[in-house]
């Protein structure tokens, strides 16, 4: 999970560089496409392992809580990966169109992205010991709200710049810029959902995991080797 986090945050920074006039834009975009595919494959493998690990402690005590926390974080990484992929696609298309304003906003978008990355990294630091204290939850909530305010400010600046440039509110030629801003909004929503999930754990979800695992053990449609494993 940690390696996925590092790769994803690195790629988020690279997405912004595609708007920043970097000389190696084509190479960066090619690496990003490959990187997103690898991250999605890795996330799928991690999810599969998390779904199977219940039998090691039957989710009793802190084991189920730890699995819930890590699964929630993996879900956040998956959502951010999808968003980052959308940002990359919007940036790649917008670079082929003149008269946009997004390149002018890179100085504002870059620090905003850094705040998101900082949030993701701090969440992993809090999760590393298998639990999150109330103080850590409050800090995550405050940072999530601060990022949401930052997005609102970005939206105001984006709209203002387009109006000053005489660009219509809806310009078909510049839909990629709107899509870029839309994905920034989806990024913030993903952070808010994760924060809510951590602050108010879904105990019903944890109970459903346990019940599903129990039913899997007695499912007559499962392979005989699975039955033998359970009996051993």
């Amino acid at each position: 999970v940690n390696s996925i986090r590092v790769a994803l945050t690195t790629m988020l920074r690279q997405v912004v560089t595609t708007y920043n006039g970097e000389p190696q834009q084509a190479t960066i975009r090619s690496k990003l496409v490959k990187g997103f595919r690898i991250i999605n494959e890795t996330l799928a493998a991690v999810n599969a392992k998390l779904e199977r690990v219940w039998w090691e402690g039957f989710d009793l005590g802190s084991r189920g809580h730890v699995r819930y926390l890590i699964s929630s974080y993996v879900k956040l990484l998956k959502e951010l990966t999808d968003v980052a992929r959308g940002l990359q696609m919007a940036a790649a298309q917008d670079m082929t169109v003149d008269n946009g304003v997004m390149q002018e906003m890179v100085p504002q978008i870059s620090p905003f992205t850094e705040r998101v990355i900082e949030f993701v990294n701090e969440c992993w630091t809090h999760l590393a010991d298998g639990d999150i204290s109330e103080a850590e939850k409050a800090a995550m909530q405050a940072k999530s709200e601060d990022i949401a305010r930052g997005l609102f400010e970005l939206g105001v600046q984006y709209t203002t710049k387009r109006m000053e440039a005489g660009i219509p509110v809806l310009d078909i030629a510049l839909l990629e810029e709107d899509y870029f801003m839309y994905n920034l909004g989806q990024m913030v929503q993903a952070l808010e959902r994760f924060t809510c999930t951590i602050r108010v754990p879904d105990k019903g979800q944890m109970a459903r995991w346990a019940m599903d695992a129990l039913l899997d053990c007695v499912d007559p449609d499962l392979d005989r080797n699975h039955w033998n494993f359970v009996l051993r």
Side-chain angles (χ1 to χ4, degrees), residues 67-133:
R67 187 161 77 103
Y68 176 79
L69 291 178
I70 295 180
S71 295
S72 299
Y73 188 75
V74 169
K75 182 180 179 181
L76 170 65
L77 293 181
K78 169 59 178 172
E79 291 181 344
L80 292 180
T81 299
D82 293 341
V83 168
R85 175 63 172 142
L87 291 172
Q88 185 271 326
M89 293 174 63
Q93 290 297 319
D94 192 46
M95 289 302 294
T96 65
V97 181
D98 296 327
N99 302 323
V101 300
M102 196 59 73
Q103 278 186 293
E104 300 176 20
M105 292 194 60
V106 169
Q108 290 79 40
I109 294 174
S110 183
F112 173 81
T113 305
E114 288 300 322
R115 288 158 69 186
V116 172
I117 291 172
E118 183 180 354
F119 177 90
V120 173
N121 290 339
E122 287 184 3
C123 287
W124 179 246
T125 300
H126 297 328
L127 284 170
D129 60 0
D131 196 13
I132 300 181
S133 68

Side-chain angles (χ1 to χ4, degrees), residues 8 17 56 58 64 72 76 84-85 108 117 119 135 139 142 147 152 155 164 171 191 218 220 228-229:
L8 176 58
T17 66
E56 291 187 2
F58 297 94
S72 299
L76 170 65
R85 175 63 172 142
Q108 290 79 40
I117 291 172
F119 177 90
I147 292 173
F152 176 78
E164 290 175 348
D171 190 325
L191 302 185
V218 295
N228 292 338
F229 171 76

Side-chain angles (χ1 to χ4, degrees), residues 29 108 129 144 147 152 183 185 197 199 219 227-228:
R29 287 198 293 269
Q108 290 79 40
D129 60 0
S144 174
I147 292 173
F152 176 78
N183 275 283
T197 298
R199 285 183 64 84
D219 189 343
W227 273 76
N228 292 338

